[in-house]
């Protein structure tokens, strides 16, 4: 709980969840497919498509963290990472800040070190993204924002 001072000077107690920054990684290949993880989230008891992501280490460069997460979770090593967007998924309650990076190429280096993080990894056409979001198969806020942005950039 935090003591929050409103612009008019009043105070109220407010829940604050403090989290370290998160790096998110996307790779889009020459066929306009994006590499996604199919994973289960036990808190919501839901399956869905997500982008590789994870905490940024202290003094770690966010782009390096995104590339590391992609490699650990998929077995693909990305090319140069470019910043796509920075988002705060829950700014009313959480300090969680996400930096999303993307690359237009990757090299398969072998099975993922963190294969337990997903049931499978697949190249999914960006053209399917709006339908997957509408059907609830992509539920993560950072994935929805990043994938819809990539869909917009690559489909126009």
């Amino acid at each position: 709980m935090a003591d929050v001072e409103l612009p008019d000077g009043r105070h109220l107690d407010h829940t604050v969840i403090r989290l370290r920054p998160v790096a998110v990684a996307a790779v889009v290949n020459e066929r306009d497919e994006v590499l996604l993880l199919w994973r289960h989230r036990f808190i919501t008891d839901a399956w869905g498509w997500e982008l590789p992501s994870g905490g940024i280490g202290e003094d770690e460069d966010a782009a390096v963290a995104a590339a590391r997460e992609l490699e650990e979770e998929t077995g693909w090593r990305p090319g140069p990472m470019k910043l796509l967007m920075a988002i705060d998924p829950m700014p009313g309650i959480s300090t969680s800040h996400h930096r999303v990076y993307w690359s237009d190429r990757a090299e398969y280096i072998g099975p993922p070190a963190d294969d337990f993080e997903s049931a499978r990894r697949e190249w999914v056409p960006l053209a399917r993204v709006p339908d997957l979001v509408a059907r609830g198969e992509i539920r993560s806020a950072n994935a929805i924002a990043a994938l819809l942005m990539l869909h917009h950039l690559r489909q126009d």
Side-chain angles (χ1 to χ4, degrees):
M1 295 299 289
D3 176 29
V4 175
E5 183 175 351
L6 300 174
D8 67 4
R10 290 182 294 159
H11 287 255
L12 60 92
D13 289 331
H14 196 289
T15 301
V16 176
I17 301 169
R18 298 188 191 288
L19 299 168
R20 66 184 173 160
V22 172
V24 182
V27 173
V28 179
N29 65 21
E30 66 280 352
R31 293 179 306 280
D32 280 331
E33 298 169 323
V34 63
L35 185 57
L36 296 179
L37 308 171
W38 180 253
R39 64 183 305 174
H40 181 261
R41 291 298 186 173
F42 68 92
I43 292 173
T44 56
D45 192 25
W47 286 89
W49 292 109
E50 294 186 13
L51 291 168
S53 64
I56 301 171
E58 191 172 324
D59 298 325
E60 184 178 25
D61 178 81
V64 170
R68 174 181 50 75
E69 290 293 335
L70 185 104
E71 186 173 322
E72 290 173 357
E73 295 182 17
T74 69
W76 288 80
R77 180 172 294 148
M81 301 295 277
K82 301 169 281 251
L83 182 63
L84 178 67
M85 63 176 36
I87 59 174
D88 299 317
M90 298 176 52
I93 195 169
S94 171
T95 62
S96 183
H97 179 71
H98 297 210
R99 296 186 64 81
V100 182
Y101 291 85
W102 79 287
S103 181
D104 59 4
R105 62 183 176 276
E107 172 189 6
Y108 184 70
I109 59 166
D114 293 347
D115 68 343
F116 63 90
E117 297 228 19
S118 61
R120 64 186 198 267
R121 293 141 298 276
E122 291 184 21
W123 290 96
V124 176
L126 275 173
R128 289 187 53 210
V129 164
D131 184 54
L132 293 172
V133 171
R135 291 193 343 233
E137 291 187 39
I138 303 173
R139 300 169 49 117
S140 172
N142 64 21
I144 290 172
L147 292 169
L148 289 175
M149 178 63 85
L150 285 169
H151 177 268
H152 171 73
L153 293 173
R154 300 286 290 212
Q155 300 298 311
D156 289 342

